[in-house]
Amino acid sequence: MEWETVIGLEIHTQLLTKSKIFSGASTAFGAPPNTQACLVDLGYPGVLPVLNHEAVRMAVKFGVAIGAQVAERSVFARKNYFYPDLPKGYQISQYELPVVSKGSVEIELEDGTSKRIGITRAHLEEDAGKSLHEGFEGVSGIDLNRAGTPLLEIVSEPDMRSAREAVAYMKKIHSLVRYLDICDGNMQEGSFRCDANVSVRRKGEAKYGTRAELKNINSFHFVEKAIEYEIARQIELLEGGGKVVQETRLYDSKKNETRSMRSKEEANDYRYFPDPDLLPLVIEPAFIEAVRKTLPELPDAKKQRFAEHYCLSSYDASLLTASRALADYYEAVVKAVGGEPKLCANWVMGELAAALNRDNKEITESPVSAAVLAGLIKRVLDNTVSGKLAKDVFEAMWAGEGDADAVIGKRGLKQITDSSAIEKIIDEVMAVNPEQLTGYRGGKDKLFAFFVGQVMKASKGKANPQQVNELLKRKLAG
Amino acid sequence: MSLTPDEVKTIARLARLAIGEQDIQQYARNLSRILEFVAQLDQADTRDVVPMAHPLDMAQRLRSDVVSETDQRDLFQQNAPQVQAGLYIVPKVIE
């Protein structure tokens, strides 16, 4: 039996506003519990929500970036449910008339082709607080600092057909919201969260299968794992003659499995209705146009420009444009070097990326600035330092020993390009290795590599390798 | 429009209201009558009427993104039955 997987994602992005969506409390992460929860966030009687202009602007920015319709009139609704981290007993969200609808993004598949993923809607809503269970006996602790933080919930069409596609889409949205500067994308802090709706059906069937909703999966890796587990679970269930139940399931990354959280039909009666505390949100076309003019160059366009302008492969261009900060860094390096885009790309994606990865740093935290890296690349290009020793110079710069010239000077790593100096080293090497010299002259060509090695060793790696090759050939020939 | 006793129980549970078994019939009757009363609106022709989200014909005003609230946790938590380390303490909830 051939099965087809159908996946849709709901992505919650915390918007980068200073204050909450409906109150003037701070949204800063990491404050002591409940110090950023004001009367509005706590749901005290008699308070009124007032919508944050910046949250609206960010939602509109996302809408125009994905070619969506931005509603000139949208409505806030109450989503009613009881949970202690939701003080009002309802979440203010949008239901029938969301601010953004009918957009799309392109994802790139592994075979190099691209696929359009529809975005049904994106709506503004408030985040809930946090419930803490660990360290308590028989009770839970509630921190409402997060309550009221603005969220843009981005709902895709059920357009994805594999876990890989779902991850590609999630990465795309992640990159996009960071380019747009509307979300920091920090998954560990919960600024970017994903729920996945997963179902399977027999290949060729028009009707969707019953879906399960996988909750709060907070890494790209776990999204793939969770979906793959869920697909296998559903297929096994169906092939064994069972039925998939519509329910919410929680992914356990330690056990790599999903398990039932609650039955959806039971919990799903949210009784939405328009929030009488909020008037309809009216967005003038002129405002939408003004926001459109602030759009930066978006990932797809930047990638294409990098590939064409810098003659990079599609793969390199993808990596370098994964974030706006990395792309800016790369362009600053190329500009400072004054060309050599491929060599610059190799350094940024090679030594720099490895060091960032090793020390778990973001590009914006790199101890080696674009100008400093460019300084090193220039010294490689003008033969001051060999490509091999340049890596040592890079590590020294990373450790804070100064720029390329300072490190090369201090450590004496300057490449030897003076022919007479190299000849002198060669003479010495030949003098102490008479046997090998006789051997080579007697036809053992392989010994050439031995002499190259000895000369490089004697020069502490500083002799220019090309010159060593040329001079050795001449000298060894006698 | 007539509500069954089961529907009354579901509504009560969603609203977290405890109601006595003996009162369910009466709630069902009264709630049904309210629904019947409102159902008269079904007779109105609403084909050309735009759904109304709010009785005031005005647009939502927006506030600028400024932090205007200060920390008043100690004051607010005086109203809470139990707090610990700055957290509001509630009966255990875990799914």
Side-chain angles (χ1 to χ4, degrees):
Chain A
M1 180 71 62
E2 269 224 77
W3 296 92
E4 183 181 50
T5 307
V6 177
I7 304 163
L9 296 187
E10 293 169 12
I11 296 175
H12 290 84
T13 58
Q14 279 185 356
L15 298 177
L16 276 174
T17 57
K18 295 184 190 73
S19 66
K20 293 193 175 167
I21 184 168
F22 297 120
S23 85
S26 170
T27 55
F29 182 83
N34 292 308
T35 55
Q36 290 173 175
C38 72
L39 290 175
V40 173
D41 310 324
L42 295 171
Y44 267 63
V47 298
L48 277 178
V50 187
L51 185 57
N52 187 335
H53 182 274
E54 192 61 4
V56 174
R57 188 188 65 80
M58 289 176 174
V60 171
K61 199 172 181 187
F62 180 77
V64 294
I66 59 161
Q69 292 174 12
V70 176
E72 288 184 31
R73 182 174 172 279
S74 67
V75 170
F76 285 93
R78 292 184 178 181
K79 178 181 181 178
N80 299 280
Y81 66 94
F82 284 104
Y83 207 72
D85 58 24
L86 186 76
K88 295 191 296 297
Y90 59 86
Q91 176 194 29
I92 304 177
S93 181
Q94 295 192 300
Y95 189 54
E96 282 169 324
L97 297 169
V99 62
V100 168
S101 56
K102 297 194 181 83
S104 67
V105 290
E106 296 268 334
I107 59 167
E108 199 166 296
L109 305 180
E110 275 155 52
D111 62 5
T113 60
S114 65
K115 178 174 177 177
R116 179 173 295 251
I117 305 294
I119 292 174
T120 319
R121 58 186 281 154
H123 62 255
L124 283 165
E125 62 183 26
E126 58 180 343
D127 209 342
K130 272 183 190 161
S131 305
L132 306 161
H133 309 294
E134 276 172 39
F136 294 100
E137 276 297 317
V139 295
S140 297
I142 307 292
D143 177 7
L144 295 169
N145 279 349
R146 198 179 66 177
T149 298
L151 296 177
L152 187 67
E153 178 176 338
I154 301 159
V155 184
S156 84
E157 292 286 315
D159 284 349
M160 287 148 277
R161 294 290 173 270
S162 70
R164 287 281 174 89
E165 284 185 25
V167 172
Y169 166 78
M170 192 177 166
K171 283 189 173 161
K172 188 76 192 210
I173 297 293
H174 188 254
S175 158
L176 190 58
V177 294
R178 292 179 74 197
Y179 263 75
L180 295 172
D181 208 15
I182 62 173
C183 173
D184 65 18
N186 189 326
M187 293 163 94
Q188 270 158 357
E189 289 178 7
S191 313
F192 188 90
R193 316 194 288 266
C194 176
D195 302 339
N197 287 305
V198 180
S199 65
V200 296
R201 61 178 169 188
R202 289 195 165 80
K203 203 141 202 168
E205 206 157 281
K207 230 181 107 209
Y208 292 132
T210 306
R211 66 169 194 264
E213 185 182 4
L214 310 182
K215 273 276 177 202
N216 273 340
I217 332 167
N218 53 6
S219 85
F220 296 122
H221 179 64
F222 289 151
V223 164
E224 188 166 346
K225 290 277 208 190
I227 292 174
E228 271 168 1
Y229 174 87
E230 182 59 21
I231 294 168
R233 187 190 71 89
Q234 291 187 12
I235 291 174
E236 196 184 316
L237 197 63
L238 292 168
E239 289 188 338
K243 268 175 78 177
V244 175
V245 188
Q246 186 175 336
E247 63 181 354
T248 303
R249 297 179 71 85
L250 205 63
Y251 177 67
D252 183 335
S253 58
K254 288 193 192 93
K255 293 182 185 155
N256 187 34
E257 62 175 32
T258 65
R259 57 170 180 267
S260 184
M261 219 167 105
R262 58 178 179 230
S263 170
K264 187 105 184 176
E265 301 105 291
E266 201 195 327
N268 203 12
D269 197 347
Y270 293 127
R271 295 149 294 146
Y272 283 97
F273 63 89
D275 191 332
D277 286 346
L278 287 153
L279 290 154
L281 170 62
V282 173
I283 299 173
E284 305 287 347
F287 181 75
I288 299 171
E289 286 318 305
V291 172
R292 195 189 303 278
K293 291 206 177 78
T294 67
L295 282 187
E297 184 183 29
L298 297 175
D300 289 345
K302 201 183 276 285
K303 185 187 152 192
Q304 200 181 344
R305 179 169 65 80
F306 272 34
E308 283 166 13
H309 185 72
Y310 297 123
C311 298
L312 299 173
S313 69
S314 169
Y315 179 77
D316 288 356
S318 276
L319 281 183
L320 289 169
T321 55
S323 82
R324 205 165 135 189
L326 181 66
D328 288 348
Y329 185 102
Y330 169 71
E331 292 206 278
V333 173
V334 175
K335 199 173 166 214
V337 169
E340 298 290 338
K342 180 59 186 162
L343 182 64
C344 294
N346 289 347
W347 274 95
V348 171
M349 294 184 301
E351 299 304 308
L352 179 75
L356 289 170
N357 210 15
R358 180 190 66 212
D359 292 359
N360 200 17
K361 277 186 159 49
E362 293 285 321
I363 181 74
T364 46
E365 303 165 324
S366 169
V368 175
S369 70
V372 168
L373 180 59
L376 174 59
I377 295 171
K378 277 199 221 164
R379 291 295 162 263
V380 174
L381 286 167
D382 69 11
N383 278 329
T384 302
V385 66
S386 70
K388 194 153 173 281
L389 287 180
K391 292 181 180 179
D392 298 340
V393 178
F394 178 84
E395 286 304 328
M397 299 193 314
W398 185 268
E401 289 183 29
D403 66 11
D405 288 335
V407 172
I408 292 166
K410 198 163 60 183
R411 297 196 170 188
L413 297 175
K414 194 172 182 319
Q415 184 159 249
I416 301 167
T417 51
D418 174 4
S419 298
S420 58
I422 297 175
E423 281 183 48
K424 198 166 156 260
I425 299 170
I426 293 175
D427 288 340
E428 283 162 17
V429 166
M430 282 165 57
V432 296
N433 294 293
E435 271 175 49
Q436 283 83 353
L437 183 61
T438 320
Y440 178 82
R441 286 187 173 154
K444 286 190 180 168
D445 289 349
K446 275 185 187 164
L447 281 167
F448 186 72
F450 166 79
F451 281 103
V452 172
Q454 291 300 309
V455 171
M456 291 310 288
K457 197 174 154 196
S459 74
K460 300 196 177 71
K462 291 186 287 186
N464 178 296
Q466 270 168 307
Q467 281 174 287
V468 169
N469 269 313
E470 282 165 28
L471 293 171
L472 252 182
K473 245 177 217 156
R474 203 145 30 101
K475 290 237 166 205
L476 289 174
Chain B
M1 184 86 194
S2 175
L3 286 175
T4 65
D6 277 348
E7 285 169 321
V8 171
K9 280 186 202 165
T10 302
I11 293 165
R13 202 187 55 75
L14 286 170
R16 298 297 189 274
L17 292 174
I19 56 173
E21 195 69 30
Q22 71 282 1
D23 297 328
I24 288 176
Q25 285 300 338
Q26 201 198 329
Y27 279 123
R29 243 184 346 264
N30 290 348
L31 288 170
S32 298
R33 288 190 60 200
I34 293 169
L35 289 173
E36 279 159 25
F37 173 73
V38 177
Q40 292 178 64
L41 287 172
D42 291 347
Q43 289 160 29
D45 181 356
T46 57
R47 263 174 302 184
D48 299 323
V49 179
V50 181
M52 183 178 71
H54 201 281
L56 294 180
D57 188 18
M58 292 164 72
Q60 175 63 36
R61 75 169 263 262
L62 306 177
R63 39 171 271 277
S64 44
D65 182 26
V66 175
V67 175
S68 56
E69 295 288 338
T70 52
D71 172 21
Q72 297 187 73
R73 183 177 78 182
D74 293 343
L75 176 66
F76 299 153
Q77 292 199 332
Q78 284 173 22
N79 289 327
Q82 200 185 344
V83 295
Q84 187 185 322
L87 297 164
Y88 293 92
I89 299 300
V90 299
K92 192 169 188 77
V93 276
I94 191 154
E95 288 178 277

